[in-house]
Amino acid sequence: MKLKIQLSLIILILISFPLFLRAQKVGFIASDVIRENFSEAKQASQRIQSIVEEWKRELASLDKQIENLDLEIKKNRLVWSDEERIQKEKKLEDLKTQRYNYAKIKFEENGEYDQVVSTMMQPVEDKIFAAIQQVAADEGIDFVFDKSVQPIPYANYKYDMTVKVLRKLGVNVDQLEKELKEKIESDPRNQKAKSKEPPQKISRDRSKKPRETTPQPNEEENPEIKEIPREENPQKEENPSK
């Protein structure tokens, strides 16, 4: 009985989940693209990389010391006295311990690396997150997925909010916008949807033809029409008696 109830619940969830998503407006971003194009994120990343490179150089130096001392011990094991050999072997173990502790402090979970990343990147991440929220609110988006974190097998690029988020952050997105437009237009689903659009209606005012007016004859253009002289009233004869 319990098994039947569980199966019924699973089937109900599988049926209702797509319907739930249809009722919501979904968008997605590529956070790696945002960080690559956002100047503040790039600067923070460069500072972090510089610190990490310094740590790696220190580890490489310790590795070199360990390697050289190990070779020295192997070559002179039979030449040195027991006291010298023990002293060198102890130094080698100390170097190995130093190297292990250094790497652990710097790169272990919740170590210095995580602290540096949190200190330098958190303000940048806060700005990116705020921009995503603002764009989502402007567009009426209910869910935003990050394709950099969770790969999406297929997504229509007309729902890609990455360019809009970068524009909100003050980044020049002319080239990215052009590339996004090409991706949207090349998607077969968008081409199919575009072909189904009804033809635009022509307004009635434009469809009306202008009334044809009959041209009036022009006297100058028509030489056959002659001006008829007016008859002048005959003048009365003057009375000679006056």
Side-chain angles (χ1 to χ4, degrees):
M1 184 67 181
K2 290 183 179 179
L3 181 61
K4 289 183 178 180
I5 294 174
Q6 290 176 353
L7 288 173
S8 300
L9 288 173
I10 292 171
I11 293 171
L12 180 62
I13 291 170
L14 291 174
I15 294 173
S16 61
F17 187 70
L19 298 175
F20 172 75
L21 285 180
R22 286 182 185 178
Q24 310 301 319
K25 196 171 180 182
V26 180
F28 69 92
I29 60 164
S31 60
D32 55 346
V33 176
I34 294 174
R35 293 188 187 95
E36 288 171 4
N37 290 274
F38 187 33
S39 60
E40 292 186 25
K42 288 192 290 185
Q43 291 169 5
S45 180
Q46 289 171 358
R47 289 196 296 269
I48 293 170
Q49 189 64 28
S50 176
I51 294 171
V52 170
E53 290 298 327
E54 184 180 348
W55 293 345
K56 287 182 177 180
R57 284 193 295 269
E58 182 64 27
L59 287 173
S61 175
L62 290 171
D63 287 336
K64 190 65 176 177
Q65 293 178 50
I66 291 170
E67 182 182 357
N68 292 338
L69 184 56
D70 187 45
L71 288 173
E72 185 182 358
I73 292 172
K74 289 177 180 178
K75 287 181 180 179
N76 300 292
R77 181 180 294 275
L78 300 176
V79 178
W80 289 336
S81 63
D82 291 342
E83 185 178 353
E84 288 177 326
R85 179 177 56 79
I86 292 171
Q87 185 179 2
K88 293 292 183 180
E89 288 177 349
K90 184 178 183 305
K91 184 178 180 180
L92 179 62
E93 290 301 320
D94 290 343
L95 282 173
K96 289 180 178 180
T97 302
Q98 182 182 350
R99 199 265 182 208
Y100 171 79
N101 290 334
Y102 186 87
K104 184 179 179 181
I105 291 171
K106 301 299 182 184
F107 296 106
E108 74 172 350
E109 188 176 357
N110 298 323
E112 286 189 26
Y113 175 77
D114 290 342
Q115 294 174 10
V116 168
V117 171
S118 177
T119 302
M120 294 189 177
M121 289 299 296
Q122 192 59 49
V124 178
E125 294 293 334
D126 290 342
K127 288 184 179 181
I128 294 174
F129 183 71
I132 294 170
Q133 283 189 317
Q134 196 167 0
V135 171
D138 295 342
E139 299 289 327
I141 304 295
D142 299 300
F143 293 96
V144 180
F145 296 97
D146 186 356
K147 63 180 295 187
S148 301
V149 177
Q150 182 180 4
I152 303 174
Y154 169 78
N156 194 326
Y157 278 97
K158 68 181 181 180
Y159 302 113
D160 189 353
M161 300 164 50
T162 305
V163 172
K164 294 178 181 178
V165 172
L166 284 169
R167 187 186 293 112
K168 187 69 69 175
L169 291 168
V171 179
N172 185 349
V173 294
D174 291 344
Q175 183 61 32
L176 290 173
E177 196 168 27
K178 182 180 177 181
E179 294 173 1
L180 178 61
K181 185 178 179 181
E182 291 175 355
K183 291 178 181 178
I184 293 173
E185 292 177 350
S186 63
D187 193 312
R189 294 189 64 181
N190 296 331
Q191 294 174 356
K192 189 175 180 181
K194 191 174 181 180
S195 63
K196 289 183 178 180
E197 291 181 358
Q200 295 182 353
K201 295 181 179 180
I202 302 174
S203 61
R204 293 183 178 180
D205 295 338
R206 294 184 179 180
S207 62
K208 289 182 179 180
K209 295 182 179 180
R211 294 181 180 178
E212 295 182 358
T213 56
T214 305
Q216 297 295 329
N218 191 346
E219 294 178 358
E220 295 180 356
E221 293 178 356
N222 193 347
E224 295 181 358
I225 300 176
K226 296 181 179 180
E227 184 178 357
I228 301 174
R230 295 180 180 179
E231 294 182 0
E232 297 180 358
N233 294 329
Q235 296 181 356
K236 294 181 180 181
E237 294 181 359
E238 295 181 358
N239 193 346
S241 61
K242 287 184 180 181

